[in-house]
Amino acid sequence: MNTEKTCNFYKLLSLSSEAATMTEIKQAYRSMALRYHPDVCRHTSEREEWTRLFVQLNAAYETLSNPQLREEYDYNVLGLRRKTAAAAAAASDEVSLRKSRCEDQKRRSNRSSMRTQRMKHRN
């Protein structure tokens, strides 16, 4: 049986829950990958085990960092419910709202810096 399918990727990356954000997933992967990279292993007897763990860490990161693969993993392996269309739409709306707020903030910042430059040129 494939160990990647039976392994809980969230636990492998030491994440507390399946609701982990992309930033948390990335940080956890980097931390674990640096810690268990086969080139860092000082004991040759453990190198094979570290290599196997490192391969699993890569598979976990590739799966959890891709939203589509993550949803399939959550549904097929962990048995979690799929996102409903309404939940997916709400998440999409939230992302759009955040993007528009960010763009508004950038525009305001640009206006402010342009005003400051004009005032400097007047003096």
Side-chain angles (χ1 to χ4, degrees), residues 13 15-17 19-30:
L13 292 174
L15 295 167
S16 59
S17 75
T21 65
M22 292 302 292
T23 304
E24 292 170 333
I25 291 168
K26 187 175 186 177
Q27 288 174 345
Y29 167 73
R30 282 185 166 184

Side-chain angles (χ1 to χ4, degrees), residues 29-75:
Y29 167 73
R30 282 185 166 184
S31 172
M32 299 292 286
L34 288 172
R35 185 175 180 184
Y36 291 106
H37 194 282
D39 292 344
V40 178
C41 183
R42 294 184 180 175
H43 303 287
T44 54
S45 61
E46 295 176 348
R47 185 160 292 173
E48 188 176 322
E49 183 180 336
W50 281 35
T51 301
R52 202 175 8 243
L53 180 60
F54 188 73
V55 169
Q56 286 181 333
L57 289 170
N58 280 323
Y61 180 70
E62 285 179 22
T63 301
L64 299 180
S65 65
N66 180 326
Q68 186 177 8
L69 292 176
R70 182 178 179 180
E71 185 177 344
E72 289 176 20
Y73 172 80
D74 288 349
Y75 180 74

